[in-house]
Amino acid sequence: WAEAAGFTVTRRATGALPDAATTLYLADTLGELGVFFRAIAITFIGGSLVPVGGHNLLEPARLDAAILTGPHLGNFTSLAARFRAAGAMLVVADAAGLADAVARLLADPAARSDLAAAAGSVAAEGSAGLARIVAAVLPLVDPATAAPAASGEVS
């Protein structure tokens, strides 16, 4: 759709790098998105405009990105409900709605910042739960059988 709309697309998965002619750089690889979430102000959740089920909302939320998504978040139903209730994401119906929402957020840095802050707050809610789980499980781990922490890992 992007090329049909006149964008010059460069895809990360092909190993191509953006150049002066690139108008859309598609970061379609696994394990690298944190770099992009930190570098950009607005994130669109892939797989959400069609009934694929969407992708993880927490990654961009934890890295200060304003979140846009389509209506199909079946893989994250309860999490999506929390984001909706907190006003922590904007839901668009289609590519035209996505383009409009991006344009509005680019023109309104305060709204973009508020959206990202709301998403960050929802993401932070889960951090306390993880800390409680780790605290409960850690005493059960037998240090003699536990794998040693890799260099740089927190033990």
Side-chain angles (χ1 to χ4, degrees):
W1 66 265
E3 289 166 335
F7 291 97
T8 302
V9 179
T10 302
R11 292 186 55 211
R12 177 119 175 107
T14 66
L17 295 175
D19 59 24
T22 302
T23 53
L24 178 67
Y25 186 54
L26 184 60
D28 55 350
T29 54
L30 294 175
E32 299 182 307
L33 291 179
V35 171
F36 295 103
F37 293 144
R38 286 193 189 281
I40 59 172
I42 302 168
T43 297
F44 173 70
I45 302 300
S48 64
L49 284 178
V50 293
V52 170
H55 294 284
N56 193 342
L57 298 163
L58 291 174
E59 291 175 295
R62 288 185 175 129
L63 297 171
D64 300 323
I67 298 174
L68 302 176
T69 182
H72 301 284
L73 292 170
N75 293 336
F76 299 93
T77 304
S78 64
L79 183 60
R82 289 184 11 230
F83 271 75
R84 281 189 186 101
M89 66 182 186
L90 294 179
V91 180
V92 299
D94 53 27
L98 175 59
D100 180 57
V102 168
R104 282 181 298 151
L105 289 174
L106 288 174
D108 189 347
R112 189 173 65 236
S113 179
D114 290 347
L115 189 60
S121 292
V122 172
E125 292 169 4
S127 298
L130 177 59
R132 286 192 306 274
I133 291 168
V134 169
V137 171
L138 200 55
L140 304 175
V141 176
D142 180 359
T145 60
S151 177
E153 289 185 8
V154 176
S155 55

